């Protein structure tokens, strides 16, 4: 069966998806769930939206279609809340449930090794090409032990998913999310030979030579796990090609024309689906009181200046330091813009238990301090940082930036340029690196850069600052049109259209 994107009439309604799912038991699984619990006043447990990157995309969809979302319990409040419900299945919301959240309580030491010793500092660095291979990584006994904990978590997820399958008479449709669960499909396949499994990888897939950094037995286990699915999704075509090439040493045959891997007597269909956003929901939130309140703060930072903005996790793949070095170089080349341009950064401090991330956060703070020391005046700071910002502040900044800088070294997609472009009301210019996942879709109406080229990035900032109003307006309007034409519902609808053909 051929699944070429141009041949598919992509449904753009929940009616289609609901009709397809009405006789299915939909199970989504990811490391982080759609909600997270916390202790508030008087030790009462409150609930908030989960911190996982896929949550804003999938949660609105699940609220309308229903089903069960399987995830790890992330803290003590999660564990306590889960214990109040049979089988740790929490109805969400509690008053008028729209879905169930099945929280898995994992051994703390094994989860720590899975997440902070294997996935984040090792796997993440392979998939984003971040290792300096002359010196790193050093694969020692601790790394091999961390892999065993990765397998433990994947096996526990498989066990819980199998239980969810057995709870319903409906035909199961299992959609696994991302690289935390790459060996989970094999455990499920061993239990149910004819079950339909789909998995989406939300980060880049590296070329085979870089993937081979893994010890051979780990590489083999990951590929065999992923090839236990029936359907695999990636964000862009390059990742699909890289994955197909990686499969060659294990597959019976790789069909590059139709993106099919023949393995163990089955066909695995692989395709790219560029994840997007809910434009209507973003624009609605942008008008909310909490966003309007934060706009006062953003406008105070901006003043009469040209506002450059970026928002990210303090992750080495985001390339924050080169972005600020380029900003420094921009002032060296064009000193007439001192006190006329301000750079506002918001973000989230991430993975603080991993040394590489600790070191990177320190270096980010150092470059901010250096640039501010170099150029600040009594009335102006060239860089204004605000880490651990809530999303309402991020949205307020999205609405008011003059330039959005995205210079990632590698990204699965990075929906920030889509979110920002949709809600921006200031004819904001987008600067984006060619290695950001969203680049392929947005490149015709953005200023495009090499993520490693500080000089080119400095020149791109100058181009953005000096761009005429009409050109800025035309570019932003075309960006909005592109994003709205392939929104999050098209992203999900296309996957379900393909899954229906394969089911």
């Amino acid at each position: 069966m051929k699944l070429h994107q141009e041949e598919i009439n992509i449904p753009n309604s929940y009616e289609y998806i609901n009709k397809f799912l009405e006789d299915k038991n939909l199970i989504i699984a990811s490391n982080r769930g759609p909600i997270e619990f916390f202790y508030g006043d008087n030790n009462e447990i409150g609930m908030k939206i989960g911190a996982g990157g896929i949550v804003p995309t999938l949660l609105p969809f699940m609220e309308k279609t229903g089903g069960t979302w399987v995830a790890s319990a992330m803290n003590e409040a999660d564990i306590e809340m889960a214990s109040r419900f049979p089988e740790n299945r929490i109805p969400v919301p509690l008053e008028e449930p729209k879905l169930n959240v099945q929280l898995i309580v994992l051994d703390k030491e094994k989860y720590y090794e899975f997440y902070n010793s294997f996935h984040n500092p090792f796997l993440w660095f392979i998939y984003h090409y971040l290792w300096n291979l002359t010196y790193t990584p050093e694969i020692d006994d601790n790394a091999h032990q961390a892999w065993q904990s990765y397998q433990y978590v994947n096996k526990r997820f498989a066990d819980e998913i199998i239980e969810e399958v057995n709870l319903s008479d409906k035909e199961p449709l299992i959609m696994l999310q991302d690289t935390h669960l790459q060996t989970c499909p094999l455990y499920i396949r061993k239990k149910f030979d004819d079950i339909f499994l789909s998995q989406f990888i939300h980060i880049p897939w590296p070329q085979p030579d870089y993937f081979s950094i893994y010890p051979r037995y780990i590489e083999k286990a990951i590929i065999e796990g992923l090839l236990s699915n029936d359907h695999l999704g990636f964000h862009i075509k390059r990742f699909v090609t890289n994955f197909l090439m990686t499969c060659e040493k294990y597959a019976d045959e790789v069909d590059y024309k139709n993106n099919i891997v023949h393995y163990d007597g089955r066909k695995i269909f692989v395709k790219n689906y560029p994840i997007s956003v809910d434009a209507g929901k973003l624009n609605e939130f942008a008008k909310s009181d909490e966003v309007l309140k934060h706009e006062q703060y953003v406008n105070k930072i901006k003043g009469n200046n040209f506002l450059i903005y970026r928002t990210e996790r303090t992750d080495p793949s985001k390339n924050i330091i080169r972005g600020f070095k380029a900003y420094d170089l921009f002032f060296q080349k064009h000193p007439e813009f001192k006190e006329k341009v301000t750079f506002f950064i918001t973000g989230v401090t991430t993975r603080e238990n991993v040394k590489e991330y600790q070191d990177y956060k320190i270096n980010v703070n150092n470059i901010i301090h250096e640039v501010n020391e170099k150029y600040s005046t009594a009335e102006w700071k060239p860089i204004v940082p605000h880490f651990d910002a809530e999303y309402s502040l991020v949205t307020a900044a999205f609405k008011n930036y003059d330039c959005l800088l995205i210079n990632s070294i590698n990204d699965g997609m990075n929906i920030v340029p889509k979110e920002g472009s949709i809600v921006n009301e200031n004819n904001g210019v987008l600067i984006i690196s060619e290695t950001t996942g969203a680049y392929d879709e947005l490149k015709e109406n953005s200023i495009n850069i090499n993520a490693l080229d500080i000089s080119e990035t400095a020149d791109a900032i100058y181009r953005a600052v000096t761009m005429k109003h009409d050109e800025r307006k035309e570019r932003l309007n075309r960006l909005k049109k592109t994003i709205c034409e392939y929104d999050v519902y098209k992203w999900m609808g296309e996957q379900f259209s393909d899954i229906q053909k394969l089911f």
Side-chain angles (χ1 to χ4, degrees):
M1 180 181 296
K2 297 182 180 180
L3 291 177
H4 297 304
Q5 184 164 323
E6 61 271 16
E7 298 174 354
I8 293 174
N9 179 23
I10 303 170
N12 190 24
S13 70
Y14 274 121
E15 288 74 18
Y16 162 78
I17 295 174
N18 279 327
K19 183 173 176 57
F20 173 61
L21 292 176
E22 64 186 10
D23 61 346
K24 309 292 189 304
N25 178 20
L26 177 62
I27 302 169
I28 288 180
S30 62
N31 175 45
R32 289 185 179 273
I35 45 94
E36 185 176 326
F37 295 97
F38 62 93
Y39 290 110
D41 297 337
N42 301 320
N43 228 27
E44 292 185 1
I45 296 181
M47 185 181 78
K48 62 182 179 179
I49 301 298
I54 63 172
V55 171
T57 300
L58 288 177
L59 180 56
F61 159 79
M62 281 287 281
E63 286 177 335
K64 293 201 175 185
T65 60
T68 299
W69 193 318
V70 181
S72 305
M74 303 305 296
N75 57 46
E76 293 301 323
D78 280 0
I79 294 171
E80 181 176 339
M81 180 58 75
S83 70
R84 298 178 182 179
F85 296 89
E87 308 299 329
N88 294 350
R89 298 175 85 250
I90 305 170
V92 177
L94 296 175
E95 300 78 20
E96 298 180 14
K98 296 179 179 179
L99 67 149
N100 291 308
V101 175
Q102 169 78 39
L103 291 181
I104 306 174
V105 180
L106 298 157
D107 178 89
K108 290 182 179 180
E109 183 176 344
K110 285 184 168 61
Y111 183 84
Y112 183 93
E113 290 181 344
F114 151 80
Y115 193 65
N116 292 308
S117 299
F118 186 80
H119 188 273
N120 290 345
F122 188 54
L123 179 154
W124 185 271
F125 273 51
I126 292 175
Y127 285 50
H128 289 83
Y129 299 98
L130 292 175
W131 289 119
N132 176 358
L133 295 183
T134 303
Y135 302 101
T136 57
E138 294 180 348
I139 304 172
D140 56 14
D141 287 348
N142 291 331
H144 290 280
Q145 176 58 43
W147 164 252
Q148 297 305 316
S149 294
Y150 180 89
Q151 290 284 61
Y152 156 80
V153 171
N154 275 256
K155 179 66 165 58
R156 284 294 311 278
F157 264 82
D159 291 343
E160 295 294 338
I161 291 168
I162 289 166
E163 286 297 316
E164 285 295 324
V165 170
N166 290 331
L167 284 174
S168 174
D169 293 331
K170 291 183 177 181
E171 191 170 15
L173 170 56
I174 300 168
M175 302 183 73
L176 305 168
Q177 303 298 316
D178 223 355
T179 48
H180 305 88
L181 303 176
Q182 292 178 116
T183 62
C184 179
L186 179 60
Y187 296 120
I188 300 172
R189 180 68 63 195
K190 287 179 178 178
K191 180 68 175 179
F192 302 112
D193 182 58
D194 60 347
I195 204 167
F196 190 91
L197 295 172
S198 175
Q199 188 155 4
F200 198 97
I201 302 299
H202 290 267
I203 63 176
W205 190 272
Q207 294 180 350
D209 287 349
Y210 210 84
F211 189 80
S212 66
I213 291 172
Y214 282 121
R216 286 185 298 278
Y217 80 100
I218 296 178
E219 177 188 82
K220 183 174 185 288
I222 289 174
I223 296 301
E224 288 182 340
L226 290 174
L227 292 181
S228 296
N229 289 289
D230 299 283
H231 171 256
L232 277 168
F234 296 86
H235 284 302
I236 61 177
K237 291 180 180 178
R238 184 172 74 251
F239 303 158
V240 170
T241 301
N242 288 347
F243 178 77
L244 294 175
M245 290 192 296
T246 306
C247 289
E248 282 192 347
K249 70 168 74 171
Y250 300 104
D252 302 317
E253 180 188 350
V254 177
D255 178 352
Y256 286 92
K257 181 179 179 181
N258 297 305
N259 291 347
I260 297 172
V261 180
H262 297 263
Y263 175 75
D264 196 27
R266 296 184 304 105
K267 295 180 182 179
I268 298 87
F269 294 83
V270 189
K271 188 177 173 184
N272 66 295
Y273 307 87
I275 197 170
S276 195
V277 297
D278 184 337
K281 191 165 185 177
L282 286 173
N283 281 317
E284 181 182 350
F285 181 66
K287 297 173 185 175
S288 66
D289 289 341
E290 53 190 312
V291 172
L292 295 176
K293 181 180 71 174
H294 283 301
E295 280 195 83
Q296 298 175 24
Y297 174 61
V298 174
N299 288 327
K300 183 178 179 181
I301 292 169
K302 178 180 171 67
N304 295 319
N305 285 359
F306 185 96
L307 186 67
I308 303 172
Y309 179 58
R310 73 181 301 153
T311 182
E312 3 247 359
R313 294 176 290 109
T314 50
D315 185 307
S317 69
K318 301 301 182 183
N319 205 25
I320 298 169
I321 293 171
R322 284 193 185 91
F324 285 137
K325 286 185 175 181
Y327 184 53
D328 183 359
L329 184 58
F330 162 74
F331 283 126
Q332 293 178 42
K333 290 183 173 183
H334 307 284
E336 68 273 19
F337 286 105
K338 292 177 186 176
E339 299 186 79
K340 297 179 182 178
V341 178
T342 300
F343 201 138
F344 182 41
I345 176 172
T346 63
V348 178
T349 302
T350 186
R351 298 170 181 172
E352 294 177 89
N353 292 316
V354 179
K355 183 179 184 302
E356 288 83 358
Y357 290 84
Q358 296 170 359
D359 293 344
Y360 193 73
K361 176 65 186 301
I362 291 170
N363 291 332
V364 167
N365 286 333
N366 286 343
I367 189 67
I368 291 172
H369 178 75
E370 288 171 16
V371 174
N372 282 341
E373 281 284 301
K374 191 172 183 179
Y375 297 109
S376 288
T377 65
E379 303 296 328
W380 170 72
K381 279 188 175 182
I383 302 174
V384 179
H386 189 124
F387 288 102
D388 298 318
E390 52 193 295
Y391 192 66
S392 50
L393 173 57
V394 172
T395 304
F398 280 155
K399 291 175 69 175
N400 291 280
Y401 68 74
D402 295 291
C403 174
L404 181 65
L405 175 61
I406 310 289
N407 67 322
S408 305
I409 297 172
N410 267 295
D411 260 327
M413 172 50 63
N414 195 328
I415 62 171
V416 166
K418 297 185 177 185
E419 294 172 306
S421 297
I422 284 294
V423 303
N424 184 261
E425 299 176 353
N426 208 36
N427 298 319
V429 181
L430 173 63
I431 299 175
I432 191 169
S433 59
E434 296 165 353
T435 44
T436 299
Y439 166 80
D440 287 347
E441 293 175 90
L442 308 181
K443 62 185 177 183
E444 298 301 324
N445 297 295
S446 56
I447 300 174
N448 306 318
I449 57 172
N450 178 330
L452 308 181
D453 193 332
I454 293 170
S455 294
E456 184 179 43
T457 305
D459 292 343
I461 292 172
Y462 177 74
R463 185 178 170 193
V465 171
T466 58
M467 187 177 291
K468 300 296 185 184
H469 174 271
D470 287 349
E471 182 180 355
R472 289 176 49 170
K473 184 176 180 179
E474 289 173 7
R475 283 172 174 265
L476 182 61
N477 285 340
R478 290 194 296 262
L479 284 171
K480 290 177 186 287
K481 184 174 184 291
T482 297
I483 296 161
C484 287
E485 285 177 350
Y486 194 95
D487 62 9
V488 67
Y489 307 119
K490 287 274 185 77
W491 175 74
M492 185 58 77
E494 186 181 350
Q495 289 181 69
F496 276 118
S497 178
D498 288 347
I499 288 170
Q500 187 179 33
K501 289 176 170 63
L502 301 171
F503 216 89

